Every structure is written in structure tokens, then in C-alpha cells.
């Protein structure tokens, strides 16, 4: 009884101090990892990327040509190739995007000097010489060890054009298309599994109704033959009717569809108020992270619709365009969508990847937009120089999750509050691969460290190590000709004891903890 009285005295004394000095009494954040329940594979394709003919993503960012004085391998930037190999890029989507539905693939094969040019009507109205086409893209994918994902032209193309592209790339039979491929220097077919049938057909891909597109999809998919992973053009953000119609109509021919796409971008406030990529205060920080977290609702609501027609989760949810979209950098071409990349973008990447990991039973692929020089890119280039962005380092850190087994987690954490609104202060996901448990954690709070107690059920571990991405200022970014401000650094982690481990996450940070 005496001990109870003393405990009550201590509690009320703590409350008194809290009242007098403005200290808030908060519960300790906890993360429980159910290692014994790990069974769902996190597809490596969740860590995919997107490269569209947009601005300097392809030309100047990836491809400079064999005659360039920028060091290159068969025309591909040597520094970019090395960086992507080191990041362990698993998959690359091409040629778009909106560009895909104006792209006619036969214009991009054969001798480069004989290829007709094309006006990029979607992005800046620039004229391109088609020197980067099918062979160059697939050569580049082989060079960086990435799976290729090709988006077919449905908006302005034909079924014949699409089926012949598939045949040209994948067939080993004797046919006019395989003969043409061999004439252009490639004897053996490429192993291209992933094919998108149209892009944003509710918008730039044709302004179609979901009913019309679904019927058109079934027609195109029927004639794109082979052991393919066909991806239907799915909804924009929260267009749940589009998802329902696509699932209804394609479920009549289930062998024709293996995935349905979802596109969702994060803005500061809205499409018309995207905000600056670098010039923002805590309000800009908070609103972007708050909007990023809406991805969880989108995944869960679209998945629930898919479950009605596909309860066995045979069809994958393919988030093949996601990331931050801000105003272009001052003085740059508005049609090129060039933006810098700060620590805030690193948090956005980490939070999204955690959400994809935790929904790996349905999310089978995701492609951040875009890989080089466009939107939330992992690499920036300027003539001979290259910059690795904070987002690059998140993908490098999170590569440990590729093809690992997802560990279900229960997270209880404090809220990060700003201006009367709040979001969870911590985001987390975990996986196991080759006996190593990897836990990725994001502290969304830019002002306060977050202590979190980890509990691991079903297994004991002998050692722990860690990495961290953070910086003194939320606006910090890496720029040309300067030392990096945001990069991967070692992070001290104590050895777990009796299945428990305490970690203090620095403010505005992304952290990896690995246990063996």
C-alpha cells in the first residue's frame, strides 16, 4: 500500500512540473515485429523507377551519345550507370507517361541517323531525334541490371502496332518482326515480362471513360501474346469507380490482366498550388508529409475493390507513378519539370516505401517519378556533373527489402502536431532475408527526436547495426560543385537484449536498423 501511495505522489509531482514548465507527458513509442508471421514477399519491383521522354531525363540524363565528351558506355552516361548499379535499381519503366501514347516504336529502331524525328507535344514541344529507342532502352536495362517495363501506345496507336512491338522484342519464332530485329543487330529476343497497355487513359492517354478503356484493354491484351505480365491503366488517385469498372470488365477474361496501375503524386497543397521544392517552412514540411500519408488510404480502398473481384490477390496493384511534384526551379523550362530534392523528399520516399512494404500482399510494383532530372529524381545531372539526391540514398538504404519477406508490425507512436493538425510521428516497415532482419523507420517530426522500443517475437538476435539519413535543416539538399549535405551515415544501435531494443530516432530522419 505504501508503494502505491509513493507512486501516486510521484505521478502527481510529474504532472505539477508539466503544468508549471509546459512539459508534455507522452507515452513511449513501441514497435512490435512478429517475425514468426513473416510470409509475404516484398517484390523487388516495388523499388522500381520511371524514365519518360521528358526534359533532360533521357537525353542528357541517361543518354549523351557515343560522340559526347562526357564519359559514356555506348552512349550511356558512365556516372549514372555506376550510381544506378550501386543503388541496385530493380526495374525501369519507359517510354512514358503521357509520351507513351504518342510514341510509335518503329520510328525508334534501325540506324540512328535514318530515324525520323518526333515533336514531344506533351513536354515542352521540343523536337527529338529518336536516337534513344527500343534497342537503346533494353541495352541500358541490361547495363544497369534492371528489369524493363515497356508502356504500349493505346491512345494514338493500333492493336497491330502494339502486338508487333511485343513480337519484335520477345519472340524467337521466324517472322517479319523477328527478321527485322535481327537486321537491326539483335539475334536473340529480350526477356521483357512487364507491359503496360496504355497510360492515364482517363486523361492524356485518350480522355476515355473506364467502360470504353476496359473494352479496349481487353482487345489490346488479347493480341499481345506470350508469357507477359500485362498491366491495365488504372485510376488517378481516388477514382474508385474507374478501379471498379476495370476490375469488373477484365475479370471476365482473367488471363488477360496481371496488374492494374495507380497514379498518385504529392503536392504541398493541391495541383494548382504545388509549392517550392526548397523554399518552405514547417507548414510546407507538414502539409507534404500529411498528403503523402494519404497513399495508405488509396492503397487500402483500391485493394478492397480489387478484393471483391480477385479475392486471391492474383492481380497486382501497380503504383507506377508516385512521388513529390513541386513547382519547377526558377529559370528552367516549365515543361521539363526539373526540381531540386531536399531532406523532405527523403522522408516522402521512406514513408511511401514503408507503406508499399506493409501492403506487399497486393502492391507488386511501384515506380517513382522520375529517375533523372525530373520531379522526385534520384539523380541530377548538369553537363559532366552528377548529383545524388536525398531520395537516392533512401532507395540505396531500402534496397535491403528487395525480395525479402515482409514482417508484420504493430506500431504505437506519438503524434507530430502542427497548427492544430497531427500525423503519426513515426513510419515503419520490416523484412527478413538470409537471416537478417531489416527495420526502416522515419521520424516525421522536424524538431524532436523520437524514442521507440522495439520488441521482436519468435527470435533472438546477437548483433545490431544501423544507418541514418538526416541533416541539420529540413531544406538541405545536395547541389552541383558542393559537398553533400544529405547522405547515408553510420547509426549506432545497441545490441538487442531478450528480444527488446530501444532506438532514438533523430528529428527529421530516415533510419535503417539491421539485426542478425
Amino acid at each position: 500500500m505504501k508503494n502505491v501511495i509513493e507512486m501516486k505522489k510521484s505521478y502527481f509531482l510529474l504532472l505539477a512540473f508539466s503544468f508549471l514548465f509546459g512539459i508534455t507527458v507522452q507515452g513511449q513509442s513501441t514497435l512490435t515485429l512478429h517475425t514468426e508471421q513473416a510470409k509475404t514477399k516484398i517484390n523487388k519491383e516495388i523499388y522500381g523507377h520511371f524514365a519518360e521522354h521528358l526534359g533532360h531525363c533521357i537525353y542528357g540524363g541517361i543518354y549523351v551519345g557515343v560522340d559526347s565528351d562526357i564519359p559514356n558506355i555506348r552512349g550511356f552516361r558512365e556516372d549514372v550507370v555506376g550510381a544506378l548499379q550501386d543503388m541496385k535499381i530493380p526495374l525501369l519503366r519507359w517510354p512514358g507517361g503521357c509520351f507513351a501514347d504518342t510514341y510509335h516504336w518503329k520510328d525508334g529502331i534501325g540506324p540512328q541517323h535514318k530515324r525520323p524525328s518526333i515533336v514531344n507535344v506533351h513536354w515542352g514541344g521540343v523536337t527529338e531525334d529518336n536516337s534513344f529507342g527500343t534497342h537503346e532502352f533494353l541495352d541500358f536495362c541490361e547495363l544497369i541490371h534492371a528489369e524493363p517495363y515497356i508502356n504500349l501506345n493505346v491512345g494514338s496507336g493500333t492493336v497491330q502496332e502494339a502486338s508487333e512491338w511485343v513480337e519484335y522484342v520477345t519472340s524467337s519464332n521466324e517472322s517479319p518482326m523477328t527478321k527485322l530485329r535481327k537486321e537491326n543487330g539483335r539475334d536473340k529476343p529480350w526477356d521483357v515480362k512487364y507491359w503496360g497497355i496504355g497510360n492515364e487513359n482517363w486523361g492524356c492517354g485518350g480522355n476515355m471513360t473506364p467502360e470504353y478503356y476496359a473494352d479496349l484493354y481487353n482487345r489490346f491484351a488479347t493480341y499481345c501474346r506470350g508469357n507477359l505480365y500485362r498491366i491495365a491503366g488504372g485510376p488517378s488517385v481516388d477514382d474508385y469507380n474507374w478501379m471498379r469498372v476495370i476490375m469488373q470488365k477484365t475479370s471476365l477474361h482473367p488471363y488477360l490482366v496481371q496488374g492494374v496501375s495507380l497514379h498518385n503524386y504529392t503536392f504541398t497543397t493541391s495541383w494548382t498550388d504545388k509549392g517550392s521544392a526548397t523554399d518552405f517552412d514547417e507548414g510546407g514540411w507538414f502539409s507534404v508529409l500529411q498528403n503523402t500519408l494519404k497513399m495508405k488510404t488509396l492503397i487500402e480502398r483500391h485493394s478492397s475493390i480489387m478484393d471483391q473481384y480477385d479475392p486471391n490477390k492474383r492481380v497486382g496493384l501497380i503504383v507506377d507513378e508516385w512521388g513529390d511534384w513541386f513547382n519547377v526551379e526558377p529559370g528552367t523550362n516549365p515543361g521539363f519539370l526539373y526540381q531540386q530534392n531536399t531532406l523532405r523528399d527523403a522522408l516522402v520516399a521512406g514513408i511511401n516505401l514503408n507503406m508499399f512494404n506493409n501492403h506487399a500482399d497486393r502492391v507488386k510494383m511501384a515506380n517513382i517519378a522520375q529517375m533523372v532530372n525530373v520531379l522526385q529524381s534520384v539523380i541530377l545531372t548538369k553537363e559532366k556533373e552528377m548529383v545524388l539526391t536525398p531520395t537516392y540514398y533512401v532507395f540505396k538504404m531500402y534496397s535491403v527489402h528487395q525480395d525479402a519477406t515482409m514482417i508484420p508490425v504493430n506500431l504505437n507512436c506519438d503524434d507530430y502536431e502542427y497548427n492544430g493538425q497531427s500525423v503519426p510521428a513515426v513510419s515503419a516497415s520490416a523484412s527478413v532475408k538470409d537471416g537478417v532482419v531489416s527495420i526502416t523507420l522515419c521520424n516525421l517530426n522536424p524538431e524532436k527526436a523520437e524514442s521507440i522500443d522495439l520488441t521482436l517475437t519468435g527470435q533472438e538476435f546477437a548483433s545490431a547495426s544501423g544507418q541514418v539519413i538526416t541533416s541539420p535543416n529540413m531544406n538541405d539538399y545536395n547541389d552541383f560543385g558542393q559537398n553533400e549535405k544529405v547522405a547515408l551515415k553510420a547509426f549506432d544501435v545497441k545490441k538487442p537484449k531478450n528480444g527488446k531494443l530501444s532506438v532514438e530516432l533523430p528529428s527529421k530522419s530516415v533510419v535503417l536498423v539491421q539485426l542478425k
Side-chain angles (χ1 to χ4, degrees):
M1 185 67 179
K2 183 177 179 181
N3 288 340
V4 173
I5 293 173
E6 291 299 322
M7 288 173 63
K8 287 183 176 180
K9 285 182 179 179
S10 298
Y11 177 73
F12 285 117
L13 187 61
L14 179 58
L15 286 180
F17 272 95
S18 301
F19 177 78
L20 289 172
F21 299 102
I23 301 170
T24 302
V25 180
Q26 296 177 313
Q28 179 80 0
S29 297
T30 61
L31 181 70
T32 303
L33 284 75
H34 301 283
T35 54
E36 76 285 358
Q37 297 178 22
K39 63 180 182 179
T40 301
K41 178 184 175 182
I42 298 174
N43 280 8
K44 66 179 181 179
E45 289 81 11
I46 283 176
Y47 292 85
H49 293 255
F50 174 32
E52 184 172 5
H53 288 247
L54 199 173
H56 294 297
C57 182
I58 301 294
Y59 299 108
I62 294 173
Y63 191 75
V64 292
V66 294
D67 296 327
S68 174
D69 59 356
I70 297 173
N72 66 84
I73 305 169
R74 299 191 297 280
F76 307 110
R77 290 185 66 119
E78 194 174 288
D79 52 1
V80 170
V81 169
L84 293 173
Q85 289 175 341
D86 196 37
M87 191 186 69
K88 299 180 181 178
I89 177 174
L91 175 136
L92 183 59
R93 177 181 179 233
W94 171 86
C98 292
F99 182 84
D101 283 287
T102 59
Y103 183 67
H104 300 284
W105 69 272
K106 288 182 181 178
D107 293 340
I109 60 173
Q112 291 178 331
H113 68 280
K114 291 185 178 181
R115 299 178 189 178
S117 62
I118 182 174
V119 177
N120 193 331
V121 296
H122 290 290
W123 306 116
V126 297
T127 300
E128 301 184 10
D129 65 2
N130 265 321
S131 57
F132 188 97
T134 300
H135 287 252
E136 288 76 23
F137 170 66
L138 295 174
D139 187 16
F140 181 65
C141 287
E142 289 181 344
L143 198 57
I144 62 174
H145 314 304
E147 291 278 342
Y149 167 13
I150 294 177
N151 223 119
L152 297 170
N153 180 350
V154 170
S156 68
T158 66
V159 173
Q160 180 178 349
E161 181 181 23
S163 64
E164 286 183 344
W165 198 3
V166 172
E167 183 182 348
Y168 181 92
V169 169
T170 65
S171 178
S172 57
N173 294 327
E174 287 296 325
S175 73
M177 288 301 104
T178 58
K179 180 182 179 183
L180 180 60
R181 184 190 69 225
K182 292 173 182 178
E183 289 173 355
N184 289 327
R186 177 80 181 196
D187 288 335
K188 294 182 179 179
W190 290 278
D191 182 16
V192 179
K193 176 181 179 181
Y194 299 103
W195 294 82
I197 299 181
N199 168 78
E200 294 189 358
N201 301 94
W202 37 262
C204 65
N207 289 305
M208 304 175 189
T209 65
E211 291 81 6
Y212 177 79
Y213 169 72
D215 289 338
L216 198 57
Y217 171 86
N218 286 336
R219 182 173 170 230
F220 270 73
T222 298
Y223 292 97
C224 292
R225 296 182 175 91
N227 185 24
L228 311 179
Y229 192 103
R230 302 170 188 84
I231 299 169
S236 170
V237 196
D238 57 355
D239 188 347
Y240 300 112
N241 178 61
W242 185 283
M243 177 63 82
R244 188 176 302 280
V245 172
I246 297 303
M247 291 302 297
Q248 281 177 339
K249 284 183 167 279
T250 59
S251 65
L252 300 174
H253 311 282
Y255 61 92
L256 293 179
V257 62
Q258 287 73 43
V260 180
S261 72
L262 169 65
H263 290 183
N264 178 57
Y265 287 94
T266 298
F267 311 112
T268 300
T269 304
S270 66
W271 175 258
T272 57
D273 183 17
K274 299 185 182 71
S276 169
T278 58
D279 184 15
F280 56 88
D281 57 13
E282 188 175 354
W285 170 277
F286 181 87
S287 63
V288 165
L289 299 191
Q290 184 182 48
N291 289 334
T292 290
L293 288 165
K294 293 177 182 177
M295 180 69 84
K296 181 175 184 290
T297 300
L298 294 176
I299 292 172
E300 291 175 350
R301 291 195 61 181
H302 283 298
S303 294
S304 69
I305 294 170
M306 297 177 77
D307 287 346
Q308 296 174 34
Y309 303 92
D310 177 39
N312 295 323
K313 301 185 187 296
R314 181 188 60 82
V315 179
L317 182 60
I318 311 299
V319 192
D320 61 12
E321 289 189 30
W322 68 272
D324 283 333
W325 191 329
F326 301 125
N327 295 333
V328 301
E329 294 302 309
T332 64
N333 188 324
F336 285 5
L337 305 187
Y338 177 82
Q339 65 188 45
Q340 251 295 354
N341 197 292
T342 69
L343 181 62
R344 181 176 66 174
D345 296 278
L347 269 293
V348 167
I351 293 166
N352 274 285
L353 293 172
N354 282 339
M355 290 188 286
F356 300 152
N357 288 346
N358 291 330
H359 293 87
D361 61 334
R362 180 63 83 177
V363 178
K364 299 303 180 183
M365 181 198 295
N367 308 122
I368 191 169
Q370 291 186 12
M371 191 171 69
V372 188
N373 292 330
V374 175
L375 299 176
Q376 191 178 348
S377 50
V378 294
I379 293 172
L380 302 176
T381 64
K382 185 173 68 174
E383 297 176 350
K384 292 185 178 182
E385 295 182 273
M386 180 185 73
V387 163
L388 304 179
T389 70
T391 299
Y392 173 92
Y393 286 110
V394 172
F395 272 85
K396 185 175 181 179
M397 172 189 279
Y398 276 59
S399 65
V400 295
H401 290 305
Q402 292 184 21
D403 282 344
T405 304
M406 186 266 287
I407 298 174
V409 299
N410 289 337
L411 173 65
N412 292 296
C413 64
D414 296 333
D415 283 340
Y416 161 39
E417 298 181 1
Y418 177 79
N419 199 26
Q421 300 183 70
S422 64
V423 294
V426 178
S427 164
S429 68
S431 69
V432 59
K433 184 178 181 180
D434 299 329
V436 178
V437 169
S438 299
I439 308 159
T440 43
L441 303 143
C442 300
N443 180 3
L444 283 64
N445 195 320
E447 301 294 339
K448 176 179 174 291
E450 291 289 337
S451 296
I452 185 165
D453 288 340
L454 309 181
T455 301
L456 300 105
T457 63
Q459 195 170 352
E460 290 292 330
F461 298 91
S463 64
S465 61
Q467 295 179 329
V468 64
I469 300 169
T470 189
S471 196
N473 306 299
M474 66 177 76
N475 310 75
D476 283 345
Y477 59 88
N478 300 332
D479 206 357
F480 298 100
Q482 299 181 16
N483 293 331
E484 286 187 329
K485 292 183 178 180
V486 189
L488 276 174
K489 296 181 180 178
F491 182 70
D492 290 333
V493 183
K494 294 181 180 179
K495 178 181 175 181
K497 187 176 181 180
N498 299 323
K500 295 185 180 296
L501 175 67
S502 292
V503 177
E504 179 149 319
L505 306 175
S507 64
K508 55 188 180 311
S509 67
V510 184
V511 170
L512 167 67
V513 173
Q514 290 192 289
L515 307 174
K516 297 180 181 180

